[in-house]
Amino acid sequence: MLAGSLSIMILSGCSDNSKAARELLSQAESMAVSGDYPGALALLDSVDSRYAAEVEVRRDAMSLRPRIMEMLTLKELSTADSMIVQLTIEADAVKDVMAFVEDSFEGYYTTKALKGKVPAEKPGLYARMSADGIYTVVSSCPKGTESTAVGLKSGDDEVMSARVAHDGERNDRSRGVEIINFMPSECDTLGVFAERHTGDEIKATFFGEKKNHTMTLPKDQAEALGSVHKASVIVGRLHKAQLEKTRLERQLDVARSQMARTFREKE
């Protein structure tokens, strides 16, 4: 049925149009029928750019394009739906160890073991995740270090965060401890490291302008660094997949609207 409906447009008015342009249009039809939608759309672009004077062929191509876009979008929507189902299952599994913490902003997720524990009250590293999967880490270091970065070490393996200069905001030394709020790109390495060393002893070193401070991370903090990072990757991918599905649904509406506007009756 698909091949027949596309052929009707391509065959109409063949005697009045360039043979070469019609051949490209026919190839685009064949590629669409075989499922090569990007290739078919590329050929339609060629028809439009190379045969600007072939008005009737270009009109047929204009009518064919949204039909191919509809098929391509439906295929991509099917893939997106499958991905969302799988990621939802994975997200539900990792959320079993997570807890939501309300604060003065949007709130965040951390492990149940860390819920209620405040960085200002105990040195260490506190992993957090936003509702859409953004991973952050808050470091808490004894005053006098003037810390700007954090390193982790387990055995011979070690890693370091990015440096955050003291600014009184993200790097704050006004309280009883020194607090650094690391953004995702500054602390992802810490999460990956903690995942790799799940169950291992991890030592954290706070690198400062005056001196360094090293401590063994408490078990709940070390486990949270890895498990919250793992959750953030899954939840982040799920959020992106849901956004992509929304985009594809809008794209499908546009394609069907264009199909209605460019429909050509068989002569």
Side-chain angles (χ1 to χ4, degrees):
M1 182 176 180
L2 170 62
S5 64
L6 295 178
S7 296
I8 288 174
M9 294 185 300
I10 290 172
L11 291 175
S12 63
C14 234
S15 59
D16 299 324
N17 294 284
S18 165
K19 182 178 179 180
R22 285 288 171 191
E23 177 60 27
L24 279 182
L25 202 55
S26 179
Q27 290 177 23
E29 173 205 8
S30 297
M31 295 180 80
V33 171
S34 66
D36 184 1
Y37 308 124
L41 291 171
L43 284 182
L44 293 184
D45 288 339
S46 295
V47 170
D48 201 46
S49 62
R50 293 166 59 183
Y51 300 101
E54 301 298 334
V55 177
E56 286 302 311
V57 182
R58 292 177 63 206
R59 285 177 178 170
D60 286 342
M62 187 182 299
S63 182
L64 178 58
R65 181 182 296 278
R67 295 172 184 268
I68 297 176
M69 283 299 302
E70 179 192 39
M71 292 182 285
L72 172 61
T73 306
L74 287 172
K75 179 181 178 181
E76 292 176 336
L77 271 171
S78 177
T79 300
D81 282 333
S82 297
M83 183 176 294
I84 288 172
V85 169
Q86 179 60 39
L87 289 173
T88 298
I89 294 172
E90 294 180 24
D92 288 342
V94 296
K95 281 183 177 179
D96 286 342
V97 299
M98 306 289 285
F100 184 74
V101 179
E102 294 185 1
D103 62 13
S104 57
F105 298 99
E106 297 180 350
Y108 60 88
Y109 288 90
T110 189
T111 57
K112 292 177 180 178
L114 276 190
K115 182 179 181 180
K117 296 185 179 181
V118 183
E121 297 177 355
K122 184 178 181 180
L125 299 175
Y126 296 78
R128 298 176 175 180
M129 178 187 75
S130 68
D132 54 358
I134 297 176
Y135 181 74
T136 57
V137 172
V138 178
S139 76
S140 174
C141 176
K143 283 187 74 71
T145 305
E146 297 188 0
S147 57
T148 58
V150 179
L152 298 180
K153 185 172 183 178
S154 182
D156 294 330
D157 192 12
E158 56 187 327
V159 72
M160 185 174 174
S161 73
R163 290 190 178 276
V164 178
H166 174 237
D167 59 2
E169 295 181 0
R170 287 212 297 126
N171 186 329
D172 180 20
R173 301 169 185 169
S174 64
R175 288 172 277 184
V177 292
E178 299 173 2
I179 300 293
I180 302 178
N181 292 281
F182 290 100
M183 302 302 290
S185 61
E186 299 165 340
C187 64
D188 278 346
T189 52
L190 305 181
V192 173
F193 181 93
E195 277 194 73
R196 188 163 65 245
H197 290 282
T198 300
D200 298 338
E201 180 181 88
I202 297 177
K203 290 187 178 294
T205 297
F206 300 84
F207 295 97
E209 297 170 359
K210 285 190 173 181
K211 61 182 180 178
N212 298 335
H213 173 77
T214 300
M215 61 177 284
T216 298
L217 278 183
K219 184 178 178 180
D220 55 357
Q221 294 183 12
E223 290 180 347
L225 278 178
S227 57
V228 175
H229 183 267
K230 178 180 179 180
S232 73
V233 172
I234 296 171
V235 173
R237 289 177 61 199
L238 175 58
H239 181 66
K240 289 180 180 178
Q242 291 168 334
L243 291 176
E244 175 64 4
K245 180 179 179 179
T246 299
R247 184 191 71 80
L248 289 171
E249 288 173 338
R250 291 173 180 167
Q251 180 173 290
L252 184 61
D253 289 340
V254 170
R256 287 174 171 171
S257 176
Q258 290 176 344
M259 284 169 60
R261 293 199 306 270
T262 61
F263 177 73
R264 305 195 74 192
E265 293 283 355
K266 179 183 177 182
E267 294 182 2

